[in-house]
Amino acid sequence: MTPVTLAAAGLDTGDTAWLLAATALVLLMTPGLALFYGGMVRTKSVLNMLMMSFVSIALVTVVWLLAGYSLAFDGDAFGGLVGGLGHLGMAGIGPGTLTGSVPTLLFTTFQLTFAIVTAALISGAIADRTRFAAWLVFVPVWTLLVYAPVAHWVWGPGGWIKDSLGALDFAGGLVVEIASGASGLALALVVGPRIGFKKDAMRPHNLPMVMLGAGLLWFGWLGFNGGSALGANGLAAASMLNTLVAGCTGLLGWLFVEQRRDGHPTTFGAASGAVAGLVAITPACGTVGIVGGAAVGLTAGVICSYAVGWKFRFDYDDSLDVVGVHFVGGIVGTLLIGLFATTTMTGGPEGLFYGGGAAQLGRQSVAVLAVAAYTFLMTYGIGKAIDRLMGLRASAEEELTGLDQTLHAESAYDHGALGQGTALATDARPSALPRPARRARE
């Protein structure tokens, strides 16, 4: 992503039109994520999972416009660590204010959609067992204290990772993927494992919903990465192509592992592999060529297919594999920039495989460690504070009954209506059938 300046440059209508479209695409990713996550949980918590994503849109929008944007993209206020407060409530920004060649209000909205989906991603790590009221408190606090500072480090004017360290993150490997993954791990440790973790089968209840959500995520990701060029240009085109390629190789890599390890490729694996490839290419899409993009996606598909099982070995309940896919995939993509970066994409820095030595890999490694440590520790502290003040975890009764009924007084599926007038699949005895159906059976 290009450095952000509030310079009065000429408005480019082509760049503006593309960023308008990209912003809409990125916003679509959060409903897509809701479907992706919603299909992965059990039937008793589907609506709760959808709500955690949708309410993030509202919560993050309010705090981003109040203070989040200023903390992330105002001029540096403290040694590259956080932006100033000059744009609280969007002060000083009007329709005529430009960021590069696009309206600053549009750039603000584009960045807002990134913040929204990042917060929503965390919910997957604590699915099935978290109080909705606690989530309403966590999201705005986390956005201001964790997301906004990290965004400033990586993309903001004077941010230390961008300007002092020189690490590269084109569209959010550090800011979105590693931040959400490390935060998800921290919050999962605070909340604790689900009842029955490692004992009961907790399979996705609706794989077509998972596939639909993955498709919407992939569609939106083209705007996520392509829009980060902030212009309708060759860099946007290359970023979009890298995004498509990495999603494909990630999908194929995951299926290859499934076939060799389990003897069969699965739809769930296909969806997960595509997302893993998309996660990994996010930081690298504007820095590597097509060969690098394919390698990034394939590597992530293979590694993440194993990483999702680490939760059983190390005993942390990452319900929907936020750690295994987003944290690990984000690390893979960010580090591989140090190997595959090419000057034709970056305009300068090169990776080890293109004659640049190991220096860029070292910078990428420092950035990964810094963002992972900060986001994990801050999120753990926020989670502990909320847990002490109001309780973060739902009660055992609420969890066992299902959060849809106990927290929202709703049900995703009306099993009574489905069963009215016909036998349920679990009870096909003639005595359970209505009288006409019983005569037909006899």
Side-chain angles (χ1 to χ4, degrees):
M1 186 167 291
T2 55
V4 177
T5 56
L6 293 175
L11 175 71
D12 188 298
T13 55
D15 292 347
T16 301
W18 163 233
L19 199 60
L20 284 166
T23 300
L25 286 170
V26 181
L27 181 60
L28 181 64
M29 291 178 70
T30 299
L33 180 70
L35 292 173
F36 185 67
Y37 278 173
M40 291 171 69
V41 297
R42 292 167 288 180
T43 55
K44 61 184 181 180
S45 297
V46 182
L47 298 179
N48 176 258
M49 201 71 254
L50 299 176
M51 280 285 285
M52 292 178 82
S53 286
F54 270 84
V55 78
S56 297
I57 299 175
L59 293 170
V60 177
T61 296
V62 172
V63 298
W64 185 255
L65 297 179
L66 286 176
Y69 173 79
S70 188
L71 292 173
F73 291 104
D74 194 13
D76 185 64
F78 192 74
L81 297 179
V82 70
L85 301 177
H87 297 304
L88 289 178
M90 301 304 293
I93 298 176
T97 309
L98 301 181
T99 295
S101 61
V102 301
T104 299
L105 289 176
L106 174 56
F107 175 78
T108 301
T109 310
F110 181 65
Q111 288 296 334
L112 164 61
T113 59
F114 278 60
I116 289 169
V117 75
T118 307
L121 281 169
I122 300 171
S123 65
I126 54 173
D128 285 336
R129 63 198 189 278
T130 304
R131 295 183 62 212
F132 189 67
W135 180 249
L136 296 179
V137 175
F138 172 80
V139 169
V141 173
W142 184 88
T143 300
L144 293 176
L145 298 185
V146 179
Y147 182 86
V150 173
H152 182 76
W153 298 357
V154 179
W155 296 327
W160 74 272
I161 287 180
K162 174 173 64 70
D163 289 352
S164 300
L165 179 62
L168 302 175
D169 181 5
F170 188 76
L174 294 165
V175 182
V176 176
E177 309 300 350
I178 293 176
S180 62
S183 296
L185 176 59
L187 214 55
L189 293 176
V190 174
V191 175
R194 289 166 291 179
I195 297 172
F197 175 62
K198 300 195 339 186
K199 297 178 182 178
D200 300 338
M202 299 180 181
R203 299 184 182 91
H205 88 282
N206 191 327
L207 286 172
M209 184 185 293
V210 173
M211 294 293 281
L212 175 60
L216 290 173
L217 282 170
W218 201 338
F219 180 63
W221 229 300
L222 297 175
F224 194 87
N225 290 349
S228 294
L230 300 183
N233 50 40
L235 183 58
S239 300
M240 290 183 72
L241 182 55
N242 273 335
T243 302
L244 177 60
V245 168
C248 294
T249 56
L251 184 155
L252 294 173
W254 194 299
L255 292 185
F256 175 79
V257 171
E258 280 193 330
Q259 181 65 49
R260 288 185 58 86
R261 181 185 60 197
D262 308 322
H264 45 263
T266 67
T267 54
F268 191 30
S272 300
V275 172
L278 294 166
V279 166
I281 199 60
T282 294
C285 60
T287 61
V288 304
I290 300 301
V291 173
V296 167
L298 182 63
T299 303
V302 171
I303 292 178
C304 291
S305 67
Y306 290 103
V308 294
W310 295 348
K311 60 185 177 183
F312 300 110
R313 179 181 301 177
F314 299 109
D315 204 30
Y316 61 89
D317 188 7
D318 171 25
S319 306
L320 307 183
D321 302 323
V322 179
V323 178
V325 174
H326 294 274
F327 184 55
V328 174
I331 291 174
V332 168
T334 304
L335 293 181
L336 288 184
I337 291 173
L339 302 181
F340 290 101
T342 171
T343 190
T344 57
M345 293 289 286
T346 66
E350 290 185 309
L352 180 63
F353 294 166
Y354 289 82
Q360 192 61 45
L361 179 60
R363 298 185 190 102
Q364 300 300 122
S365 300
V366 171
V368 166
L369 291 173
V371 171
Y374 177 78
T375 53
F376 177 87
L377 293 173
M378 285 295 294
T379 304
Y380 192 86
I382 294 169
K384 279 291 188 182
I386 293 175
D387 190 41
R388 178 163 294 189
L389 290 173
M390 62 184 300
L392 189 58
R393 180 164 185 152
S395 68
E397 180 181 356
E398 290 171 332
E399 183 178 344
L400 290 171
T401 302
L403 302 184
D404 289 356
Q405 288 286 356
T406 58
L407 299 185
H408 305 291
E410 295 177 300
S411 176
Y413 305 103
D414 190 348
H415 295 294
L418 291 174
Q420 185 176 2
T422 185
L424 295 177
T426 56
D427 190 357
R429 299 185 306 276
S431 61
L433 297 171
R435 188 173 301 275
R438 192 185 311 165
R439 287 198 298 268
R441 173 73 65 86
E442 294 168 352

